[in-house]
Amino acid sequence: MSQSVHSSGEHQPDENRRDFLTLATTAVGVVGAGCALLPFVDSMNPSKDVLALASVEVNLSNIPVGQAVKVMWRGKPVFIRHRTEREINEANEVALNELVDPQSDDARVEKKEWLIVVGVCTHLGCIPMGTATGEARGDYDGWYCPCHGSHYDTSGRIRRGPAPKNLEVPTYTFLTDTSVRIG
Amino acid sequence: MSAPQWNNKVVKWVDDRLPVISMLHHSAYEYPTPKNLSYMWNFGSLAGFVLVTMILSGIFLVMNYTPHTSMAFESVERIMRDVNYGWLIRYIHMNGASMFFIVVFLHMFRGLYYGSYKAPREMLWWIGILILLAMMATAFMGYVLPWGQMSFWGATVITNLFSAFPIIGDPLVTWLWGGFSVDNPTLNRFFSLHYLMPFIILGLVVLHVWALHSVRSNNPTGVEIKTPQDSIPFHPYYTIKDLFGMGVFLIFFCGFVFFAPDYLGHPDNYIPANPLVTPPHIVPEWYFLPFYAILRSIDFTIFGIPAKLLGVLAMFASIVILFVIPWLDTSKVRSSKFRPVYKWFFWLFVVDTFILGYCGAKAPDDYFMGVPGLKVIVMGQLSTLYYFAHFLVVMPLVGKMERPKPLPASISESVLKEGANA
Ligand code: HEM
Ligand code: FES
């Protein structure tokens, strides 16, 4: 603009117009390229068939009190524990302010005797031990993650170790007293 | 430089239309090279050789590999058992990845010792760091392909690192996976990207060499080429030296391929991936261990930033910090040969990276080298501290305070003097 050979002011509007056109073209180009990129980025998100597999029904009648099972849901394990009276009490007795990620047991279960949580450590995604009978259940009687040493309690809440959050509670609905749909 | 005159008519005809032959002639034949380069200058060409080896062996692996969760493991086993020389091609590729990192790490330590990152070589250094990052991504995704237990759980742990970022963390991880866990979509995209990345590395290497040839090689004295007496043509002097180094390197490489092909790997990766069982001890490949140790050593919160996020940031920072060392190093002298104080810190830094590597391989609650009372996690924290202090404190301060030894007037003078003393 300032290095223009035409020093007379009458060419000024023309050059402004040219600058504007250049800017506008660039802007449209950038926005257009961004929009063209979106479908590609979104193609990497979960596809319809993956989303369609997003729920699973589980029969609870063959899980005796005191035992737990692992079921697959969206490619990862869900722990279903048929809790004993003692385990329920333990989960209710802790003061909330002692918890890393404070949450009452009530807020984490629909029926007291059934604890249903996603079996993926909230640290870096390992599967905690303690579901199969006889496995180490950590210092708080729930689960223990061997990868970097996280301890979860009988409500699946993080009590000690590097994991920042409680085991996630998936959305689920009891279809009958002995069957539940996860997802 | 004037274009050389070609006697051969065909060569001349081509070169007049596309001066690719002149270009190669400039860069691999007459390129004026400092006459005092030591064997530490062999690792660049070796890295290029390994890259070509990886691309070739990879292309042949793909001819028999199946990127699907139900068949990946078996297709690799088939390569090992049934495909003619499949075992050889796979062992070359598997150990080639380790060789690549050995060579590149040595290449980088060379650069650190001789101050090759300083002006005017900052861009050269930066492109090198980009190559390292691209190699890490490539090797990580390649390791997922055989779909063994370590493949699966390594992929799970590393992709989960991104969940540490607030708000965008979880959607980002779902996007990386293409699902709700590491699964077939993840394997497929890793395969696609694992094929792509080496060619991106190749492109970066072209830029790296371009930058090198415009600023010229550094050398053990750190003194620039001043007169024609300081340099010799690349060919035949360095072509032959590089070739000799390649021979020695191939003995080392083949030693692993033929006599200890699984020594650098983890036996758990010969167990097919099982999303329901985590192996008791997850470790990355050896070349990631120092970075893994930095990640794990942050088990505390600062300013309310959770440990998990801090660990991830520290791990990324450990590489990103390399971008700014041209400005963190305040010394006017390039080569540590003439830096009596910094030299010691350099070696301390080398030892530090080995300690980090050791810590990354052990469980946090183990004792360091069996020393009672000294936990691996604590040692990891101390070495992480030194890792960063080396760049942030030692480099700026020692550069200012140290009194360097007198530099030779020229490369030529230093060569003649060393010759006279020998
Ligand atoms: C920068 C260069 C490369 C690096 C660092 C690299 C690294 C790796 C690593 C660490 C593995 C796992 C080996 C194992 O444990 O079995 C792997 C596997 C694989 N790579 Fe590469 N790779 C490179 C280039 C390529 C290229 C260019 C291709 C294809 C054209 C390729 C195709 C494959 C295939 C098919 C596998 C799976 C088979 C197997 O596990 O042996 N790679 N790569
Ligand atoms: S993944 Fe469970 S403690 Fe790290």
Side-chain angles (χ1 to χ4, degrees):
Chain A
M1 293 139 267
S2 54
Q3 70 263 37
S4 164
V5 278
H6 310 280
S7 48
S8 56
E10 60 189 288
H11 285 281
Q12 211 61 21
D14 224 28
E15 278 161 12
N16 282 339
R17 216 174 113 211
R18 189 173 298 164
D19 283 350
F20 171 77
L21 283 174
T22 311
L23 266 175
T25 313
T26 313
V28 170
V30 168
V31 171
C35 291
L37 210 66
L38 263 179
F40 293 93
V41 171
D42 197 35
S43 78
M44 288 175 71
N45 269 320
S47 55
K48 291 194 188 69
D49 62 321
V50 170
L51 291 172
L53 290 178
S55 80
V56 55
E57 276 175 33
V58 189
N59 178 1
L60 301 174
S61 59
N62 41 22
I63 311 171
V65 178
Q67 289 200 9
V69 296
K70 259 186 223 180
V71 296
M72 278 291 254
W73 173 65
R74 294 168 154 194
K76 51 190 167 192
V78 168
F79 298 154
I80 304 182
R81 167 158 282 157
H82 198 168
R83 296 193 293 184
T84 61
E85 209 47 49
R86 212 191 58 150
E87 285 165 350
I88 298 173
N89 290 340
E90 251 180 272
N92 282 300
E93 272 160 12
V94 273
L96 284 191
N97 58 15
E98 272 178 40
L99 296 173
V100 181
D101 179 11
Q103 222 182 1
S104 72
D105 186 54
D106 285 342
R108 296 177 52 80
V109 291
E110 216 153 276
K111 296 186 185 219
K112 277 200 182 319
E113 61 275 30
W114 295 106
L115 174 69
I116 302 181
V117 288
V118 175
V120 173
C121 181
T122 58
H123 182 225
L124 294 176
C126 292
I127 296 181
M129 305 195 298
T131 305
T133 331
E135 270 181 2
R137 289 171 63 169
D139 294 352
Y140 298 87
D141 288 336
W143 286 272
Y144 171 69
C145 181
C147 285
H148 316 92
S150 290
H151 299 255
Y152 295 92
D153 68 11
T154 57
S155 186
R157 291 171 298 200
I158 178 68
R159 299 297 288 275
R160 210 176 68 222
K165 283 186 270 175
N166 301 334
L167 292 180
E168 188 197 334
V169 178
T171 44
Y172 60 85
T173 11
F174 279 92
L175 303 171
T176 66
D177 265 356
T178 55
S179 117
V180 65
R181 189 180 60 219
I182 301 169
Chain B
M1 251 170 288
S2 60
Q5 279 304 307
W6 301 112
N7 292 326
N8 184 305
K9 285 220 172 72
V10 180
V11 171
K12 185 171 171 4
W13 188 91
V14 171
D15 204 60
D16 285 345
R17 283 149 186 86
L18 177 71
V20 63
I21 300 166
S22 296
M23 197 194 81
L24 288 176
H25 186 85
H26 283 317
S27 54
Y29 197 99
E30 60 182 22
Y31 171 60
T33 318
K35 62 181 177 188
N36 60 340
L37 296 188
S38 69
Y39 278 109
M40 285 313 291
W41 269 258
N42 276 53
F43 296 103
S45 73
L46 281 182
F49 171 73
V50 181
L51 177 61
V52 172
T53 307
M54 292 308 282
I55 291 181
L56 288 178
S57 56
I59 286 172
F60 283 88
L61 281 176
V62 172
M63 295 181 189
N64 287 289
Y65 170 79
T66 313
H68 190 279
T69 49
S70 64
M71 284 167 78
F73 188 87
E74 278 163 48
S75 73
V76 172
E77 284 309 300
R78 192 182 145 267
I79 291 173
M80 295 298 288
R81 294 157 200 237
D82 298 338
V83 175
N84 300 331
Y85 291 105
W87 59 273
L88 178 62
I89 299 172
R90 175 164 184 249
Y91 279 154
I92 288 174
H93 199 75
M94 225 168 102
N95 287 284
S98 285
M99 295 305 125
F100 208 170
F101 280 96
I102 292 178
V103 166
V104 165
F105 284 154
L106 286 169
H107 189 65
M108 295 180 75
F109 277 130
R110 186 281 317 265
L112 274 179
Y113 186 85
Y114 292 107
S116 303
Y117 47 85
K118 293 194 202 190
R121 297 189 179 79
E122 301 93 328
M123 289 282 280
L124 183 58
W125 177 251
W126 284 354
I127 296 165
I129 303 167
L130 292 181
I131 292 173
L132 176 70
L133 288 170
M135 276 172 63
M136 291 175 128
T138 310
F140 164 65
M141 291 189 287
Y143 193 62
V144 176
L145 303 185
W147 209 243
Q149 271 291 67
M150 279 297 158
S151 300
F152 182 88
W153 290 101
T156 299
V157 168
I158 300 303
T159 47
N160 261 305
L161 292 179
F162 293 93
S163 71
F165 292 104
I167 305 165
I168 56 157
D170 287 325
L172 180 63
V173 173
T174 305
W175 178 74
L176 286 173
W177 288 339
F180 303 102
S181 60
V182 172
D183 209 331
N184 200 48
T186 327
L187 177 60
N188 272 277
R189 62 191 56 187
F190 279 17
F191 179 57
S192 165
L193 296 173
H194 184 68
Y195 209 137
L196 167 71
M197 290 299 289
F199 295 93
I200 292 187
I201 297 179
L202 197 63
L204 288 169
V205 168
V206 170
L207 291 181
H208 194 69
V209 173
W210 188 2
L212 171 72
H213 286 224
S214 79
V215 296
R216 298 283 158 83
S217 306
N218 187 22
N219 67 85
T221 65
V223 175
E224 297 286 333
I225 296 176
K226 288 172 184 158
T227 59
Q229 275 76 44
D230 290 339
S231 71
I232 42 178
F234 193 79
H235 182 76
Y237 299 103
Y238 286 107
T239 40
I240 201 68
K241 189 168 180 168
D242 279 351
L243 219 56
F244 175 71
M246 207 168 286
V248 175
F249 168 75
L250 273 171
I251 294 173
F252 180 72
F253 188 176
C254 291
F256 278 100
V257 169
F258 292 102
F259 298 104
D262 287 311
Y263 179 76
L264 296 166
H266 197 293
D268 275 17
N269 223 25
Y270 285 101
I271 304 171
N274 181 352
L276 291 181
V277 180
T278 308
H281 189 43
I282 299 180
V283 274
E285 293 287 84
W286 69 267
Y287 36 82
F288 291 135
L289 289 174
F291 307 102
Y292 192 57
I294 291 177
L295 168 81
R296 279 199 318 198
S297 71
I298 315 285
D299 63 351
F300 45 81
T301 300
I302 306 179
F303 303 129
I305 307 174
K308 182 169 149 185
L309 179 57
L310 271 183
V312 173
L313 293 176
M315 185 180 68
F316 287 129
S318 69
I319 293 177
V320 171
I321 198 167
L322 296 174
F323 281 104
V324 290
I325 62 169
W327 297 274
L328 290 173
D329 184 349
T330 52
S331 175
K332 297 224 160 31
V333 174
R334 283 199 190 88
S335 172
S336 297
K337 217 169 154 180
F338 304 102
R339 300 187 58 189
V341 180
Y342 180 74
K343 190 189 234 165
W344 292 103
F345 284 104
F346 169 83
W347 288 109
L348 185 59
F349 177 75
V350 174
V351 171
D352 189 67
T353 56
F354 277 88
I355 295 178
L356 280 171
Y358 175 90
C359 292
K362 298 285 166 188
D365 286 335
D366 284 353
Y367 289 110
F368 182 80
M369 308 259 189
V371 180
L374 185 57
K375 289 248 170 106
V376 161
I377 176 91
V378 175
M379 202 57 197
Q381 285 165 339
L382 292 175
S383 1
T384 299
L385 187 70
Y386 183 73
Y387 183 98
F388 287 103
H390 181 83
F391 297 120
L392 294 172
V393 181
V394 172
M395 273 195 165
L397 288 187
V398 173
K400 284 232 154 43
M401 288 153 65
E402 151 194 76
R403 188 165 173 182
K405 293 197 210 153
L407 294 179
S410 70
I411 293 174
S412 218
E413 189 206 84
S414 116
V415 171
L416 291 176
K417 213 168 84 198
E418 269 173 40
N421 291 342

